[in-house]
Amino acid sequence: MKRAARLICLLLALLMLIGCGAPQEQTETPTSAPDSSGAALETQAIDQVADKTEQALAEIALLGESPDDNYRTWYEIFVYSFCDSNGDGIGDLPGLTSRLDYLQELGITGLWLMPIHPSTTYHKYNVSDYYAIDPAYGTLEDFKQLLDMAHAMGIRVLLDLVHSHAVKNTAEGINMFDGTTWQFFHDGDKGEHPAWGTKCFDYGKTGVIHFLLSNLKFWMTEYHFDGFRFDGVTSMLYHDHGLGTDFNSNDKYFSYNTHTEAITYLQLANELIRQVNPDAITVAEDMSGMPGMCLPIEDGGIGFDYRLAMGLPDMWIKAVKQQDEFWDINKMWGDMCLRRPGEGTVAYVESHDQALVGDQTMIFRLAGANMYTDMNKDCHNPVIDRAIALHKMIRLFTLAGGGEGYLNFMGNEFGHPEWIDFPREGNGWSHKYARRQWDLVDNKNLNFHHLGDFDAAMLQVIKSQKNIQKTPVQEIWHSDYDQILAYTRKDLLFVFNFNPCKSFTGYGLLVPAGSYEVVLNTDAKEFGGNGLNDDSVKHFTMFDPLHKKYRKEWLKLYLPARTAMVLRKCK
């Protein structure tokens, strides 16, 4: 607000300067020709003032946008594998800082860092020091430089925080720090996580609460993090950690199994975070669907801004395991919309859970080993063509229909061909596949850049609609037989033809009367498609007296097989 006030004062001063420099009404005939050099200098000065005025107006307009005005798009980063700046085979903070320009061009609004603390495991989720970063990633000064640079670019940074459990090791971590098992953790079996082999915090102890809350404040005040993703929240909410529970009825949320002390801690954490930074963002990794997770504390909620839509990756994995001609569009639509109203949801196709060693990325599930030989854009392997088409459609469907925010794991925007594989005996202790291969997306002869370009365009289309995350997703039409789905969100109309072999000419959709223009098409040649539609054509609705009172008319479209398009209603 102070910066906005200063800019407004600057703008007023600049306007006064323009007024003082404006020509006065002439009362006498000049006795000599005007000084042309003086007039030129005056014109130059006025132009400079005008340029500064325009810049001030632009900055004021930006400041006028609340952090809640735009759809949030997050980019999840595992620092170890993102970008190596010193050639040691390990990604680091300077390497990440060097790629911020790429992330800004992609159109993301925030970074989402996987744990950066020292850890006994490669994925860093078994934390041994909550107040430090892994020295292999760089120094704390490197960290400050990263956050300062990201903030200067308008990119927020969230930290993946693990307050659900801690490393069991006594040599590295806080287990038995004072010689006892109960300083930070429950004693006995309750202090042992049965699935992860880690220690469980005792949230009923004042000292533990102080330790964890101080940890939150440390990262926010010392390094100016913009919020946190809380890992393993489901494990915290229930005494049995939610293991083996299907959560198909409300009595499974609220019972003696509910860990009230852990819920109280999460409420305190969210309260503290907002006191330090009212604009901070918190995200809960909860697969149980706990009611009130993302409602305000004063309304009886836990206070998070978002929960992860953890069921969507599972839905897509199940879908691509069968041929797309058998996809149940109605069920997919139901699963996509299955979220609690009024509670923010971050939708995603895949995260680190699918991209680390042992699993498969979405593009690899679709294309398989063909990716190693046939991603040249002059090659038209039908397996690759299908994979590219569905990869774009799946991501667009999830982005526009799955929530109020969107998450992408690094490299998946351009269909990185491999999971992250760490040096081990099975691969000859090689670092080759432990990092992202950015040369793939930079190579214009490969289809990877088509996928990356589409992802950037997709994000821009969503972000062009202010407050789109606050508007409902409304179904226009779906047909399991045709495999067609259409829905609206604010001024955008999303139309999908998942049919693998049938295109439709003049397919009618009942929409608000008016004209529509295409703003995104998965089949555009610039995105590796066939360009079967002329996207410069404006589409006009056709009158139908039966729907006149609803102000609806028929929009007739050509829908090629395995394509999707986004149209915007013209004002």
Side-chain angles (χ1 to χ4, degrees):
M1 290 302 294
K2 292 180 180 178
R3 185 178 172 217
R6 289 197 299 270
L7 283 170
I8 292 172
C9 291
L10 172 63
L11 175 60
L12 291 173
L14 291 171
L15 291 173
M16 289 175 66
L17 284 172
I18 292 175
C20 292
Q24 304 296 316
E25 184 178 353
Q26 188 171 312
T27 57
E28 296 183 7
T29 305
T31 57
S32 61
D35 185 348
S36 60
S37 61
L41 287 173
E42 182 180 357
T43 301
Q44 182 180 1
I46 291 175
D47 287 344
Q48 289 176 349
V49 171
D51 289 342
K52 290 181 179 179
T53 303
E54 185 176 351
Q55 181 180 356
L57 285 169
E59 291 198 44
I60 290 170
L62 286 174
L63 287 170
E65 286 192 1
S66 160
D68 293 325
D69 282 345
N70 294 314
Y71 189 98
R72 292 197 174 105
T73 54
W74 301 102
Y75 194 90
E76 187 181 24
I77 291 178
F78 182 47
V79 176
Y80 185 103
S81 302
F82 187 74
C83 184
D84 173 20
S85 69
N86 57 15
D88 65 354
I90 298 175
D92 47 45
L93 296 171
L96 171 52
T97 304
S98 71
R99 296 288 299 184
L100 285 177
D101 286 340
Y102 165 78
L103 299 176
Q104 187 180 43
E105 292 173 4
L106 185 61
I108 59 104
T109 59
L111 302 181
W112 191 319
L113 300 184
M114 288 176 62
I116 44 81
H117 312 295
S119 172
T120 58
T121 52
Y122 68 85
H123 49 65
K124 307 284 183 201
Y125 280 100
N126 291 0
V127 177
S128 58
D129 188 343
Y130 285 88
Y131 288 85
I133 65 170
D134 190 320
Y137 287 176
T139 66
L140 291 173
E141 287 304 313
D142 292 333
F143 212 1
K144 288 183 177 180
Q145 184 178 0
L146 166 66
L147 269 78
D148 288 345
M149 186 78 71
H151 288 157
M153 293 180 171
I155 298 173
R156 293 186 170 203
V157 185
L158 266 62
L159 177 62
D160 198 338
L161 206 64
V162 190
H163 283 185
S164 52
H165 62 111
V167 65
K168 191 174 184 177
N169 304 42
T170 55
E172 296 92 352
I174 58 176
N175 186 23
M176 299 188 70
F177 189 75
D178 68 346
T180 70
T181 58
W182 56 80
Q183 181 184 11
F184 292 100
F185 311 110
H186 290 287
D187 197 20
D189 291 342
K190 191 175 181 180
E192 307 287 334
H193 198 292
W196 299 339
T198 51
K199 300 297 291 184
C200 299
F201 285 106
D202 184 349
Y203 303 105
K205 288 185 175 178
T206 303
V208 173
I209 296 296
H210 285 177
F211 173 79
L212 296 175
L213 293 179
S214 297
N215 189 234
L216 293 170
K217 191 172 182 179
F218 170 78
W219 290 108
M220 294 187 73
T221 55
E222 293 295 320
Y223 297 96
H224 304 290
F225 271 97
D226 300 292
F228 303 96
R229 169 199 183 269
F230 280 72
D231 180 69
V233 169
T234 305
S235 177
M236 300 171 67
L237 295 175
Y238 311 100
H239 289 294
D240 66 357
H241 308 291
L243 298 173
T245 305
D246 53 12
F247 296 102
N248 57 1
S249 63
N250 285 333
D251 63 314
K252 295 182 180 180
Y253 296 114
F254 307 107
S255 69
Y256 287 115
N257 186 41
T258 306
H259 198 326
T260 56
E261 293 167 339
I263 292 176
T264 301
Y265 163 67
L266 293 173
Q267 290 176 313
L268 288 170
N270 277 294
E271 182 69 21
L272 172 69
I273 289 167
R274 297 317 187 291
Q275 288 182 8
V276 176
N277 179 4
D279 293 328
I281 299 165
T282 57
V283 184
E285 188 203 26
D286 171 40
M287 51 72 60
S288 73
M290 166 66 82
M293 178 67 70
C294 302
L295 291 179
I297 297 170
E298 55 267 29
D299 294 338
I302 301 178
F304 285 95
D305 294 295
Y306 299 96
R307 59 161 28 102
L308 283 168
M310 300 185 71
L312 294 183
D314 292 338
M315 180 195 81
W316 286 122
I317 289 172
K318 290 177 183 177
V320 300
K321 284 182 177 179
Q322 59 180 335
Q323 289 298 313
D324 42 319
E325 56 260 40
F326 302 116
W327 285 5
D328 186 337
I329 304 301
N330 182 52
K331 185 178 186 307
M332 289 167 60
W333 172 248
D335 289 345
M336 188 66 67
C337 299
L338 186 62
R339 53 185 183 272
R340 296 189 182 278
E343 299 195 45
T345 300
V346 175
Y348 62 107
V349 177
E350 50 194 340
S351 68
H352 66 269
D353 289 325
Q354 290 75 39
L356 296 183
V357 61
D359 208 331
Q360 292 182 335
T361 60
M362 180 55 62
I363 192 67
F364 201 84
R365 289 180 182 277
L366 291 166
N370 295 277
M371 295 196 70
Y372 297 123
T373 56
D374 296 342
M375 282 298 281
N376 190 295
K377 66 180 184 180
D378 294 327
C379 177
H380 291 287
N381 181 331
V383 175
I384 293 293
D385 291 345
R386 172 184 178 270
I388 290 174
L390 288 178
H391 193 267
K392 291 181 286 188
M393 295 178 72
I394 287 170
R395 294 173 72 81
L396 177 61
F397 185 15
T398 306
L399 169 73
E404 291 69 46
Y406 180 73
L407 176 67
N408 170 68
F409 183 74
M410 60 183 198
N412 290 352
E413 70 275 10
F414 64 85
H416 199 285
E418 274 119 4
W419 59 50
I420 293 173
D421 194 3
F422 297 89
R424 54 188 173 85
E425 185 176 1
N427 63 15
W429 304 103
S430 171
H431 285 90
K432 181 178 180 181
Y433 299 110
R435 58 183 180 271
R436 301 284 85 174
Q437 301 175 55
W438 298 109
D439 59 309
L440 295 176
V441 70
D442 294 334
N443 190 335
K444 301 303 180 183
N445 294 316
L446 300 177
N447 277 312
F448 296 105
H449 90 86
H450 285 140
L451 295 176
D453 292 346
F454 174 79
D455 235 63
M458 177 180 75
L459 297 185
Q460 290 302 324
V461 167
I462 289 292
K463 289 166 60 181
S464 71
Q465 297 289 299
K466 190 174 181 179
N467 283 323
I468 190 172
Q469 77 281 0
K470 296 181 180 179
T471 57
V473 181
Q474 296 182 316
E475 181 184 4
I476 296 295
W477 172 256
H478 85 265
S479 168
D480 286 331
Y481 181 77
D482 295 334
Q483 291 188 280
I484 300 290
L485 172 66
Y487 58 89
T488 60
R489 197 164 191 184
K490 205 168 183 182
D491 294 330
L492 299 179
L493 169 64
F494 300 85
V495 185
F496 296 81
N497 179 9
F498 284 103
N499 199 304
C501 55
K502 188 174 182 179
S503 301
F504 298 91
T505 302
Y507 201 94
L509 300 170
L510 202 57
V511 299
S515 59
Y516 292 78
E517 59 182 350
V518 177
V519 293
L520 185 68
N521 193 336
T522 63
D523 192 47
K525 288 187 176 181
E526 62 188 297
F527 305 134
N530 296 310
L532 298 177
N533 261 314
D534 183 354
D535 293 336
S536 65
V537 172
K538 188 173 290 188
H539 300 269
F540 295 86
T541 56
M542 300 174 64
F543 177 73
D544 185 336
L546 293 175
H547 303 285
K548 180 179 179 181
K549 65 179 180 179
Y550 305 111
R551 297 182 180 178
K552 298 286 185 70
E553 294 183 353
W554 291 103
L555 181 67
K556 300 294 185 74
L557 300 171
Y558 173 53
L559 305 178
R562 279 200 192 115
T563 66
M565 67 171 68
V566 185
L567 301 98
R568 180 169 51 218
K569 191 174 187 295
C570 300
K571 299 291 186 181

mmCIF file of all heavy atoms in Angstrom, residues 323-326 386 390 481-484 497-504 532 558-563:
data_model
loop_
_atom_site.group_PDB
_atom_site.id
_atom_site.type_symbol
_atom_site.label_atom_id
_atom_site.label_comp_id
_atom_site.label_asym_id
_atom_site.label_seq_id
_atom_site.Cartn_x
_atom_site.Cartn_y
_atom_site.Cartn_z
ATOM 1 N N GLN A 323 -7.563 -48.121 -23.677
ATOM 2 C CA GLN A 323 -7.662 -47.332 -24.903
ATOM 3 C C GLN A 323 -8.691 -46.224 -24.721
ATOM 4 O O GLN A 323 -9.728 -46.422 -24.083
ATOM 5 C CB GLN A 323 -8.037 -48.225 -26.078
ATOM 6 C CG GLN A 323 -6.925 -49.160 -26.515
ATOM 7 C CD GLN A 323 -5.696 -48.401 -26.999
ATOM 8 O OE1 GLN A 323 -5.804 -47.462 -27.789
ATOM 9 N NE2 GLN A 323 -4.532 -48.805 -26.525
ATOM 10 N N ASP A 324 -8.424 -45.065 -25.317
ATOM 11 C CA ASP A 324 -9.291 -43.911 -25.070
ATOM 12 C C ASP A 324 -10.676 -44.061 -25.682
ATOM 13 O O ASP A 324 -11.585 -43.314 -25.314
ATOM 14 C CB ASP A 324 -8.639 -42.604 -25.544
ATOM 15 C CG ASP A 324 -7.929 -42.724 -26.874
ATOM 16 O OD1 ASP A 324 -7.267 -43.744 -27.101
ATOM 17 O OD2 ASP A 324 -8.026 -41.798 -27.686
ATOM 18 N N GLU A 325 -10.885 -45.005 -26.587
ATOM 19 C CA GLU A 325 -12.251 -45.214 -27.103
ATOM 20 C C GLU A 325 -13.186 -45.766 -26.032
ATOM 21 O O GLU A 325 -14.410 -45.731 -26.193
ATOM 22 C CB GLU A 325 -12.259 -46.135 -28.331
ATOM 23 C CG GLU A 325 -11.631 -47.487 -28.126
ATOM 24 C CD GLU A 325 -10.217 -47.547 -28.660
ATOM 25 O OE1 GLU A 325 -9.481 -46.554 -28.484
ATOM 26 O OE2 GLU A 325 -9.857 -48.572 -29.267
ATOM 27 N N PHE A 326 -12.614 -46.255 -24.924
ATOM 28 C CA PHE A 326 -13.439 -46.805 -23.848
ATOM 29 C C PHE A 326 -13.559 -45.844 -22.659
ATOM 30 O O PHE A 326 -14.096 -46.218 -21.625
ATOM 31 C CB PHE A 326 -12.855 -48.143 -23.377
ATOM 32 C CG PHE A 326 -12.740 -49.179 -24.461
ATOM 33 C CD1 PHE A 326 -11.497 -49.662 -24.853
ATOM 34 C CD2 PHE A 326 -13.873 -49.645 -25.111
ATOM 35 C CE1 PHE A 326 -11.382 -50.611 -25.858
ATOM 36 C CE2 PHE A 326 -13.765 -50.599 -26.117
ATOM 37 C CZ PHE A 326 -12.518 -51.072 -26.495
ATOM 38 N N ARG A 386 -0.829 -39.747 -31.087
ATOM 39 C CA ARG A 386 -1.888 -39.923 -30.090
ATOM 40 C C ARG A 386 -1.440 -39.380 -28.732
ATOM 41 O O ARG A 386 -2.198 -38.675 -28.041
ATOM 42 C CB ARG A 386 -2.235 -41.407 -29.960
ATOM 43 C CG ARG A 386 -3.184 -41.743 -28.805
ATOM 44 C CD ARG A 386 -3.387 -43.254 -28.701
ATOM 45 N NE ARG A 386 -4.263 -43.614 -27.581
ATOM 46 C CZ ARG A 386 -3.830 -43.865 -26.346
ATOM 47 N NH1 ARG A 386 -2.522 -43.788 -26.075
ATOM 48 N NH2 ARG A 386 -4.689 -44.185 -25.389
ATOM 49 N N LEU A 390 -3.330 -36.337 -26.701
ATOM 50 C CA LEU A 390 -3.981 -36.570 -25.412
ATOM 51 C C LEU A 390 -3.267 -35.836 -24.276
ATOM 52 O O LEU A 390 -3.912 -35.388 -23.323
ATOM 53 C CB LEU A 390 -4.036 -38.066 -25.120
ATOM 54 C CG LEU A 390 -5.026 -38.874 -25.962
ATOM 55 C CD1 LEU A 390 -4.952 -40.361 -25.610
ATOM 56 C CD2 LEU A 390 -6.453 -38.367 -25.773
ATOM 57 N N TYR A 481 -21.485 -41.360 -25.864
ATOM 58 C CA TYR A 481 -21.471 -42.029 -27.171
ATOM 59 C C TYR A 481 -20.526 -41.310 -28.133
ATOM 60 O O TYR A 481 -19.697 -41.932 -28.802
ATOM 61 C CB TYR A 481 -22.880 -42.077 -27.741
ATOM 62 C CG TYR A 481 -22.955 -42.773 -29.085
ATOM 63 C CD1 TYR A 481 -22.916 -44.171 -29.183
ATOM 64 C CD2 TYR A 481 -23.060 -42.033 -30.264
ATOM 65 C CE1 TYR A 481 -22.965 -44.802 -30.417
ATOM 66 C CE2 TYR A 481 -23.109 -42.657 -31.501
ATOM 67 C CZ TYR A 481 -23.068 -44.043 -31.574
ATOM 68 O OH TYR A 481 -23.113 -44.665 -32.795
ATOM 69 N N ASP A 482 -20.659 -39.990 -28.202
ATOM 70 C CA ASP A 482 -19.787 -39.210 -29.093
ATOM 71 C C ASP A 482 -18.429 -38.947 -28.470
ATOM 72 O O ASP A 482 -17.484 -38.578 -29.165
ATOM 73 C CB ASP A 482 -20.442 -37.871 -29.437
ATOM 74 C CG ASP A 482 -21.714 -38.033 -30.255
ATOM 75 O OD1 ASP A 482 -21.831 -39.051 -30.963
ATOM 76 O OD2 ASP A 482 -22.573 -37.132 -30.173
ATOM 77 N N GLN A 483 -18.335 -39.055 -27.140
ATOM 78 C CA GLN A 483 -17.141 -38.707 -26.368
ATOM 79 C C GLN A 483 -16.820 -37.212 -26.489
ATOM 80 O O GLN A 483 -15.676 -36.801 -26.644
ATOM 81 C CB GLN A 483 -15.938 -39.556 -26.773
ATOM 82 C CG GLN A 483 -16.091 -41.029 -26.354
ATOM 83 C CD GLN A 483 -14.832 -41.832 -26.568
ATOM 84 O OE1 GLN A 483 -14.542 -42.251 -27.689
ATOM 85 N NE2 GLN A 483 -14.086 -42.066 -25.505
ATOM 86 N N ILE A 484 -17.885 -36.432 -26.390
ATOM 87 C CA ILE A 484 -17.788 -34.976 -26.449
ATOM 88 C C ILE A 484 -18.086 -34.401 -25.070
ATOM 89 O O ILE A 484 -18.997 -34.858 -24.375
ATOM 90 C CB ILE A 484 -18.779 -34.378 -27.468
ATOM 91 C CG1 ILE A 484 -18.504 -34.920 -28.874
ATOM 92 C CG2 ILE A 484 -18.737 -32.857 -27.445
ATOM 93 C CD1 ILE A 484 -17.233 -34.414 -29.498
ATOM 94 N N ASN A 497 -13.232 -33.093 -27.841
ATOM 95 C CA ASN A 497 -13.652 -34.279 -28.575
ATOM 96 C C ASN A 497 -12.625 -35.372 -28.289
ATOM 97 O O ASN A 497 -11.568 -35.434 -28.913
ATOM 98 C CB ASN A 497 -13.732 -34.009 -30.074
ATOM 99 C CG ASN A 497 -14.155 -35.250 -30.860
ATOM 100 O OD1 ASN A 497 -14.546 -36.263 -30.272
ATOM 101 N ND2 ASN A 497 -14.076 -35.191 -32.184
ATOM 102 N N PHE A 498 -12.935 -36.231 -27.306
ATOM 103 C CA PHE A 498 -12.037 -37.314 -26.939
ATOM 104 C C PHE A 498 -12.172 -38.517 -27.872
ATOM 105 O O PHE A 498 -11.462 -39.510 -27.698
ATOM 106 C CB PHE A 498 -12.303 -37.756 -25.497
ATOM 107 C CG PHE A 498 -11.763 -36.818 -24.457
ATOM 108 C CD1 PHE A 498 -12.602 -35.951 -23.766
ATOM 109 C CD2 PHE A 498 -10.402 -36.791 -24.170
ATOM 110 C CE1 PHE A 498 -12.100 -35.094 -22.803
ATOM 111 C CE2 PHE A 498 -9.894 -35.936 -23.211
ATOM 112 C CZ PHE A 498 -10.738 -35.078 -22.530
ATOM 113 N N ASN A 499 -13.075 -38.451 -28.825
ATOM 114 C CA ASN A 499 -13.275 -39.564 -29.752
ATOM 115 C C ASN A 499 -11.989 -39.790 -30.550
ATOM 116 O O ASN A 499 -11.482 -38.865 -31.194
ATOM 117 C CB ASN A 499 -14.441 -39.259 -30.695
ATOM 118 C CG ASN A 499 -14.983 -40.509 -31.349
ATOM 119 O OD1 ASN A 499 -14.246 -41.246 -31.985
ATOM 120 N ND2 ASN A 499 -16.274 -40.756 -31.182
ATOM 121 N N PRO A 500 -11.440 -41.005 -30.551
ATOM 122 C CA PRO A 500 -10.148 -41.232 -31.195
ATOM 123 C C PRO A 500 -10.205 -41.299 -32.723
ATOM 124 O O PRO A 500 -9.171 -41.165 -33.383
ATOM 125 C CB PRO A 500 -9.702 -42.577 -30.615
ATOM 126 C CG PRO A 500 -10.977 -43.275 -30.278
ATOM 127 C CD PRO A 500 -11.929 -42.203 -29.843
ATOM 128 N N CYS A 501 -11.392 -41.501 -33.290
ATOM 129 C CA CYS A 501 -11.436 -41.709 -34.736
ATOM 130 C C CYS A 501 -12.542 -40.936 -35.445
ATOM 131 O O CYS A 501 -12.574 -40.923 -36.677
ATOM 132 C CB CYS A 501 -11.577 -43.202 -35.049
ATOM 133 S SG CYS A 501 -12.990 -43.993 -34.237
ATOM 134 N N LYS A 502 -13.427 -40.297 -34.729
ATOM 135 C CA LYS A 502 -14.558 -39.636 -35.375
ATOM 136 C C LYS A 502 -14.515 -38.135 -35.164
ATOM 137 O O LYS A 502 -14.483 -37.650 -34.031
ATOM 138 C CB LYS A 502 -15.879 -40.201 -34.839
ATOM 139 C CG LYS A 502 -17.099 -39.704 -35.607
ATOM 140 C CD LYS A 502 -18.360 -40.398 -35.131
ATOM 141 C CE LYS A 502 -19.581 -39.932 -35.936
ATOM 142 N NZ LYS A 502 -20.816 -40.616 -35.495
ATOM 143 N N SER A 503 -14.526 -37.407 -36.296
ATOM 144 C CA SER A 503 -14.646 -35.961 -36.263
ATOM 145 C C SER A 503 -16.095 -35.581 -36.530
ATOM 146 O O SER A 503 -16.837 -36.328 -37.172
ATOM 147 C CB SER A 503 -13.727 -35.312 -37.307
ATOM 148 O OG SER A 503 -12.373 -35.656 -37.076
ATOM 149 N N PHE A 504 -16.500 -34.428 -36.051
ATOM 150 C CA PHE A 504 -17.895 -33.995 -36.180
ATOM 151 C C PHE A 504 -17.956 -32.638 -36.870
ATOM 152 O O PHE A 504 -17.256 -31.699 -36.480
ATOM 153 C CB PHE A 504 -18.560 -33.896 -34.800
ATOM 154 C CG PHE A 504 -18.627 -35.200 -34.058
ATOM 155 C CD1 PHE A 504 -17.612 -35.577 -33.195
ATOM 156 C CD2 PHE A 504 -19.701 -36.061 -34.229
ATOM 157 C CE1 PHE A 504 -17.660 -36.776 -32.509
ATOM 158 C CE2 PHE A 504 -19.774 -37.268 -33.552
ATOM 159 C CZ PHE A 504 -18.743 -37.632 -32.688
ATOM 160 N N LEU A 532 -6.579 -28.367 -38.556
ATOM 161 C CA LEU A 532 -7.767 -28.668 -39.365
ATOM 162 C C LEU A 532 -8.850 -27.599 -39.271
ATOM 163 O O LEU A 532 -9.786 -27.603 -40.066
ATOM 164 C CB LEU A 532 -8.339 -30.028 -38.945
ATOM 165 C CG LEU A 532 -7.406 -31.226 -39.150
ATOM 166 C CD1 LEU A 532 -8.059 -32.508 -38.634
ATOM 167 C CD2 LEU A 532 -7.031 -31.378 -40.627
ATOM 168 N N TYR A 558 -16.865 -27.380 -35.934
ATOM 169 C CA TYR A 558 -16.192 -28.550 -36.472
ATOM 170 C C TYR A 558 -15.218 -29.050 -35.408
ATOM 171 O O TYR A 558 -14.330 -28.321 -34.955
ATOM 172 C CB TYR A 558 -15.434 -28.207 -37.751
ATOM 173 C CG TYR A 558 -14.575 -29.339 -38.278
ATOM 174 C CD1 TYR A 558 -15.114 -30.612 -38.491
ATOM 175 C CD2 TYR A 558 -13.224 -29.144 -38.558
ATOM 176 C CE1 TYR A 558 -14.338 -31.648 -38.961
ATOM 177 C CE2 TYR A 558 -12.433 -30.169 -39.029
ATOM 178 C CZ TYR A 558 -12.995 -31.431 -39.231
ATOM 179 O OH TYR A 558 -12.214 -32.469 -39.695
ATOM 180 N N LEU A 559 -15.409 -30.304 -34.985
ATOM 181 C CA LEU A 559 -14.614 -30.881 -33.900
ATOM 182 C C LEU A 559 -13.828 -32.081 -34.417
ATOM 183 O O LEU A 559 -14.341 -33.205 -34.483
ATOM 184 C CB LEU A 559 -15.532 -31.318 -32.750
ATOM 185 C CG LEU A 559 -16.463 -30.245 -32.176
ATOM 186 C CD1 LEU A 559 -17.333 -30.850 -31.070
ATOM 187 C CD2 LEU A 559 -15.674 -29.059 -31.645
ATOM 188 N N PRO A 560 -12.565 -31.879 -34.793
ATOM 189 C CA PRO A 560 -11.742 -33.014 -35.232
ATOM 190 C C PRO A 560 -11.510 -33.993 -34.076
ATOM 191 O O PRO A 560 -11.563 -33.624 -32.902
ATOM 192 C CB PRO A 560 -10.427 -32.354 -35.670
ATOM 193 C CG PRO A 560 -10.764 -30.918 -35.890
ATOM 194 C CD PRO A 560 -11.847 -30.601 -34.917
ATOM 195 N N ALA A 561 -11.239 -35.230 -34.415
ATOM 196 C CA ALA A 561 -10.987 -36.260 -33.402
ATOM 197 C C ALA A 561 -9.763 -35.909 -32.564
ATOM 198 O O ALA A 561 -8.790 -35.337 -33.056
ATOM 199 C CB ALA A 561 -10.790 -37.613 -34.085
ATOM 200 N N ARG A 562 -9.846 -36.250 -31.288
ATOM 201 C CA ARG A 562 -8.762 -36.039 -30.323
ATOM 202 C C ARG A 562 -8.255 -34.593 -30.336
ATOM 203 O O ARG A 562 -7.053 -34.328 -30.417
ATOM 204 C CB ARG A 562 -7.594 -36.993 -30.587
ATOM 205 C CG ARG A 562 -7.786 -38.378 -30.032
ATOM 206 C CD ARG A 562 -6.446 -39.109 -29.893
ATOM 207 N NE ARG A 562 -6.643 -40.515 -29.633
ATOM 208 C CZ ARG A 562 -6.283 -41.504 -30.458
ATOM 209 N NH1 ARG A 562 -5.693 -41.229 -31.600
ATOM 210 N NH2 ARG A 562 -6.509 -42.764 -30.137
ATOM 211 N N THR A 563 -9.163 -33.665 -30.244
ATOM 212 C CA THR A 563 -8.773 -32.259 -30.161
ATOM 213 C C THR A 563 -9.644 -31.542 -29.135
ATOM 214 O O THR A 563 -10.714 -32.029 -28.755
ATOM 215 C CB THR A 563 -8.909 -31.532 -31.514
ATOM 216 O OG1 THR A 563 -10.295 -31.468 -31.878
ATOM 217 C CG2 THR A 563 -8.116 -32.221 -32.600
#
